[in-house]
Amino acid sequence: MHRLDDEYEALRKTVEEFARDVVAPVIGDYYERCAFPYDIVSRMGRMGLFGLPIPEEYGGMGGDYFALCLALEELARVDSSVAITLEAAVSLGAMPVHRFGTPEQKAEWLPRLASGEVLGAFGLTEPGGGSDVPGGMRTTAVQDGDEWVINGTKAFITNSGTDITGFVAVAAITGRRERPDGTTAPEISTVIVPAGTPGFTVSKKYSKVGWSASDTRELSFSDCQVPVANLLGERGRGYAQFLQTLDEGRVAIAALSVGLAQGCVDESLRYAAERHAFGMPIAGYQAIQFKIADMEVRAHTARLAYYHAAEKMLAGELFKKEAAIAKLVASNAAMDNARDATQIFGGYGFMNEFPVGRFYRDAKILEIGEGTSEVQRILIARHLGMPA
């Protein structure tokens, strides 16, 4: 999948133009105000971006996950806040409902998710958990008659507190299961909690280093009650379901990372041609040329990595290792390119009015979110046969 066919290329071009003409001129102001860009999100919904991998019967575009990745890359070339809003809404919000939801849940949520009318969120991470999801999880959902009673706290949840957030799918301990050795392990399930449910409290937005125009919050649940029918997927399979979702999400985050890395190249080329030092454009100096050449190599290599992972995913083949490689390579490329672009811009690179300033602030989280770089190395090592 190294060459895009006409349909993919048309989508890529459309999103490229949207990012350049609609997002780029205004996103800096949203970023400075830490404001959620509702008007941009609404236009993305009308374009069908939130429904790219959702079947047409539910109001989606009937496309595939690679189409979503192409859109994410082009958006992130301009801004990562908008890109992560789309990524989380589809990958973590809509796709679990699409993959694991009942017919009733799909009918209730997917049309609105696909249109961008509402956003979904996934509540997995907890304040004391991080990468140790099973061991660190404390949130519980206890069945009481026809209802789940949920108690606990979730941290760093994207799209969880906007005015158009429709629900959060909450991962919680719903019991204990016995292991073959006689010990017990937590039974983790996922429950849909609609926004506004009594006992479900959304905290104020975090003050973040980057992604300032996206919505990220802490959530708390205190005797929060929802119907038993809100169970998403099979009871006790919540963590396994999320791991499947996360494999896809890592390919999407890799695409977003490639977009940021390529955006650094775009901005550096433009600036190097305009900025003069010692009587000539700095683009004429070999030090700058080599730096930008290295940046292009990183972006190109990372793009091939996520294309390869997506190709295996669409073919129905195992792609966990390839997704981990893509996420690791691409997030490293984004961080390295953001640092080099800031250096090329000099003092202007430290100013938020220039895109590379935002890129630098946005890049670091890509080495942390949806599986840290260390977790990716663990996954790769295990797939090479090394012991757990």
Side-chain angles (χ1 to χ4, degrees), residues 275-291:
R275 174 80 162 102
H276 283 66
F278 305 103
M280 63 182 290
I282 63 172
Y285 293 107
Q286 193 177 67
I288 300 296
Q289 293 175 0
F290 280 12
K291 197 177 288 290

Side-chain angles (χ1 to χ4, degrees), residues 107-323:
E108 178 180 3
W109 292 111
L110 285 183
R112 288 185 286 167
L113 292 168
S115 68
E117 176 188 344
V118 302
L119 302 178
F122 199 101
L124 179 73
T125 306
E126 301 197 358
S131 297
D132 181 17
V133 174
M137 185 170 293
R138 298 293 180 266
T139 300
T140 60
V142 177
Q143 187 171 349
D144 182 12
D146 293 333
E147 293 183 319
W148 293 108
V149 181
I150 304 171
N151 286 279
T153 305
K154 298 294 180 179
F156 315 129
I157 310 305
T158 304
N159 291 343
S160 58
T162 73
D163 293 344
I164 57 174
T165 297
F167 69 86
V168 177
V170 179
I173 298 172
T174 51
R176 307 286 300 185
R177 57 180 177 82
E178 188 171 341
R179 292 170 169 155
D181 62 2
T183 62
T184 63
E187 172 194 85
I188 298 175
S189 308
T190 305
V191 181
I192 295 174
V193 180
T197 301
F200 172 23
T201 302
V202 179
S203 299
K204 67 178 183 179
K205 292 187 294 185
Y206 289 106
S207 176
K208 296 174 294 186
V209 171
W211 286 359
S212 296
S214 72
D215 180 84
T216 318
R217 303 180 189 243
E218 184 173 280
L219 312 176
S220 61
F221 304 88
S222 178
D223 291 332
C224 177
Q225 300 181 30
V226 297
V228 168
N230 282 26
L231 179 71
L232 179 60
E234 183 180 343
R235 178 169 178 167
R237 295 283 298 168
Y239 185 56
Q241 292 166 3
F242 182 77
L243 289 179
Q244 179 181 338
T245 300
L246 201 58
D247 286 338
E248 297 179 345
R250 284 169 181 152
V251 182
I253 291 294
L256 191 156
S257 300
V258 169
L260 189 153
Q262 192 66 58
C264 290
V265 176
D266 298 341
E267 293 298 325
S268 296
L269 284 171
R270 185 179 303 113
Y271 183 77
E274 297 172 352
R275 174 80 162 102
H276 283 66
F278 305 103
M280 63 182 290
I282 63 172
Y285 293 107
Q286 193 177 67
I288 300 296
Q289 293 175 0
F290 280 12
K291 197 177 288 290
I292 295 177
D294 286 341
M295 292 164 64
E296 176 68 10
V297 168
R298 293 185 198 116
H300 178 79
T301 304
R303 182 178 297 108
L304 293 179
Y306 99 71
Y307 274 28
H308 179 58
E311 186 174 32
K312 296 198 73 172
M313 181 203 312
L314 298 186
E317 301 174 10
L318 295 177
F319 66 98
K320 184 182 289 289
K321 181 185 74 172
E322 289 74 15

Side-chain angles (χ1 to χ4, degrees), residues 27-81:
I27 195 60
D29 177 61
Y30 285 103
Y31 201 97
E32 286 289 312
R33 294 186 289 112
C34 298
F36 190 77
Y38 287 101
D39 55 339
I40 294 175
V41 170
S42 177
R43 293 185 65 165
M44 288 163 58
R46 293 196 295 273
M47 289 173 65
L49 299 187
F50 289 96
L52 279 172
I54 304 300
E56 293 180 7
E57 64 181 295
Y58 294 110
M61 300 294 287
D64 55 35
Y65 209 84
F66 183 62
L68 171 66
C69 290
L70 291 175
L72 291 171
E73 179 183 345
E74 292 304 323
L75 289 171
R77 284 178 72 171
V78 168
D79 177 71
S80 290
S81 293

